[in-house]
Amino acid sequence: QASNSDLPPLLDFIHYSLEKQLICPICLEMFTKPVVILPCQHNLCRKCANDVFQASNPYLSTRSGTTVASGGRFRCPSCRHEVILDRHGVYGLQRNLLVENIIDMYKQGSTRYVKLDQPMCEDHEGEKINIYCVTCGIPTCSLCKVFGAHKDCQVAPLNDIFSQQKAELADCVAMLVGNNERIQAIISQLDETCRAVDNGRRQKSKVCEMFDHLFALLEERKGEMTVRINAEQDEKLSYIRNLTKKYTEHLDSTAKLVETAIQTMDESEMAVFLQVEIVEGTSTSHLDKVQRGYENMDHFTANFELQRKALSQVDFIKRKLLHCLMRDTMLNVLSASLALMLAEKTQCLHEASKFRIILRYEH
């Protein structure tokens, strides 16, 4: 058995649960008598049932809001079951007297419950709180205004203050709901921003791909330039080694000639001495001689200052016009590279024609 302290919450629960069962699914208000029951056992106000019937049968003639045509059909708004009417229309539907009696009992019980739960004045026994003290900001009774603590205060009808504060509370709720919607929109926007930022991995991949491409170009260019250096180096070394071999052979021949001459000089017999043929010394005038500076390889020195500056200025596009600056920078790099390649080619041709000139001189 519930105690007196548990009774108000229990009554609130019963009141709320019963009220939900007495709501018409059409007007969303408490059933208005007479209440009709459909074949599917759902209930409607007769007026709401007539409105649904007329909406489902717009071509049937009506007179003073009542249907005069015979027969018709409509669907239950709760379960969509098809309801077929006879010639009496919605007036042929059976009234649900049980629901009507429950509505009467509910209204009477609600009145008694409200009267039982009516707050009373603590200072004046048996007096209901029926006015509102505007000065103190609290509800009170009429005797408090006439004889009590609020006799010098400004008061107002309780209904007026109730309506005013209820409207203010409704405005606050609406404002909070609006703020919540804006906050939700901001959260959605932040989520979109997070997804956009997360797509930065694609940009990172593009940047790495571009740098890999630049590395490949640099490696290719380095290979081409080192091949040219190696080619000229091998050519010069081959020539010098071949020339060294010729001079060595000439030196050996000269040494043999000197040895023969010395042996001839040791001959004491004049006749024998005169019979020895002394070969005249071979001259080195037919041998090539290397020009001064032939060993110099400084013409392969490259100036990468422009390329270094261009690479150090590589950055992300932060403004709409920066792509123009990047384009100009790349054009400058390309121009400098072409100029450097042209200068290197000219220098190589010059040096090639220079070191290929072989001087021959007489001894």
Side-chain angles (χ1 to χ4, degrees):
Q1 185 176 357
S3 61
N4 294 333
S5 60
D6 296 334
L7 188 58
L10 181 61
L11 290 176
D12 287 338
F13 175 75
I14 297 175
H15 182 271
Y16 174 74
S17 301
L18 184 59
E19 184 177 3
K20 285 182 61 178
Q21 300 300 322
L22 299 178
I23 298 299
C24 174
I26 300 300
C27 61
L28 301 180
E29 299 288 344
M30 186 173 295
F31 286 118
T32 302
K33 295 191 296 184
V35 180
V36 295
I37 183 170
L38 305 180
C40 57
Q41 303 303 310
H42 289 114
N43 299 288
L44 294 176
C45 306
R46 181 186 287 174
K47 179 180 182 303
C48 295
N50 191 44
D51 293 340
V52 174
F53 172 72
Q54 293 185 21
S56 301
N57 301 271
Y59 299 105
L60 296 179
S61 60
T62 59
R63 181 187 303 167
S64 301
T66 59
T67 304
V68 297
S70 61
R73 62 184 63 196
F74 68 94
R75 292 189 178 274
C76 172
S78 298
C79 65
R80 307 304 298 167
H81 177 78
E82 188 176 41
V83 180
I84 302 176
L85 303 179
D86 57 13
R87 60 187 182 86
H88 299 289
V90 295
Y91 292 91
L93 293 173
Q94 183 179 358
R95 291 180 60 179
N96 195 334
L97 299 179
L98 176 60
V99 172
E100 294 181 3
N101 293 333
I102 292 175
I103 292 174
D104 294 335
M105 295 171 60
Y106 170 80
K107 291 181 178 180
Q108 294 176 4
S110 298
T111 304
R112 287 197 299 269
Y113 176 68
V114 171
K115 291 181 179 179
L116 181 64
D117 199 40
Q118 182 74 27
M120 309 299 289
C121 180
E122 297 179 355
D123 297 332
H124 302 90
E125 185 178 358
E127 286 295 325
K128 301 176 184 178
I129 294 179
N130 52 9
I131 60 174
Y132 186 84
C133 179
V134 180
T135 305
C136 300
I138 58 174
T140 184
C141 71
S142 302
L143 294 181
C144 288
K145 169 59 180 172
V146 179
F147 305 106
H150 302 282
K151 61 181 179 180
D152 297 326
C153 298
Q154 180 182 359
V155 297
L158 201 62
N159 293 336
D160 296 346
I161 303 300
F162 168 77
S163 301
Q164 177 184 348
Q165 293 191 2
K166 190 174 182 179
E168 293 176 356
L169 182 59
D171 294 339
C172 292
V173 170
M175 183 178 64
L176 290 175
V177 171
N179 289 336
N180 290 341
E181 292 177 354
R182 287 191 292 271
I183 292 174
Q184 186 62 44
I186 293 174
I187 293 175
S188 301
Q189 185 178 2
L190 291 176
D191 292 338
E192 291 292 334
T193 304
C194 286
R195 285 190 287 270
V197 172
D198 191 54
N199 289 334
R201 290 180 295 184
R202 182 178 60 182
Q203 301 303 118
K204 180 180 177 181
S205 176
K206 288 183 179 180
V207 170
C208 294
E209 182 180 353
M210 293 302 298
F211 271 99
D212 291 340
H213 183 62
L214 289 177
F215 293 153
L217 290 178
L218 291 175
E219 286 293 332
E220 181 181 358
R221 188 60 181 160
K222 182 180 74 172
E224 294 175 355
M225 296 179 71
T226 53
V227 165
R228 288 165 50 192
I229 295 175
N230 292 334
E232 183 170 332
Q233 183 181 15
D234 294 341
E235 185 176 356
K236 285 187 176 183
L237 289 175
S238 177
Y239 173 75
I240 293 174
R241 288 168 181 165
N242 187 35
L243 193 60
T244 301
K245 181 179 179 181
K246 290 181 179 180
Y247 272 97
T248 301
E249 292 174 353
H250 180 75
L251 182 61
D252 293 340
S253 299
T254 304
K256 290 179 181 181
L257 182 61
V258 170
E259 183 180 359
T260 302
I262 292 175
Q263 291 176 357
T264 301
M265 290 178 64
D266 292 338
E267 183 64 44
S268 58
E269 292 292 332
M270 292 183 291
V272 176
F273 177 83
L274 293 176
Q275 289 179 353
V276 177
E277 294 182 0
I278 304 298
V279 180
E280 185 178 359
T282 304
S283 174
T284 59
S285 60
H286 67 285
L287 297 177
D288 297 336
K289 291 192 171 33
V290 179
Q291 184 183 7
R292 171 178 281 182
Y294 178 75
E295 73 284 356
N296 191 0
M297 300 286 287
D298 293 341
H299 55 280
F300 286 109
T301 301
N303 183 9
F304 294 100
E305 185 63 23
L306 290 177
Q307 289 78 4
R308 186 190 66 81
K309 289 183 179 180
L311 290 175
S312 64
Q313 294 175 357
V314 173
D315 200 354
F316 298 107
I317 299 177
K318 299 177 181 178
R319 300 182 181 88
K320 292 183 179 179
L321 298 180
L322 275 184
H323 70 280
C324 298
L325 298 178
M326 182 63 70
R327 180 193 60 190
D328 296 339
T329 302
M330 295 303 296
L331 289 176
N332 292 336
V333 172
L334 292 175
S335 300
S337 300
L338 291 175
L340 179 61
M341 293 173 61
L342 182 60
E344 290 177 354
K345 185 175 181 180
T346 305
Q347 182 70 16
C348 290
L349 292 175
H350 176 69
E351 292 296 331
S353 61
K354 179 178 179 181
F355 82 81
R356 291 180 187 277
I357 298 175
I358 307 300
L359 299 179
R360 301 175 61 90
Y361 64 94
E362 295 184 356
H363 186 264

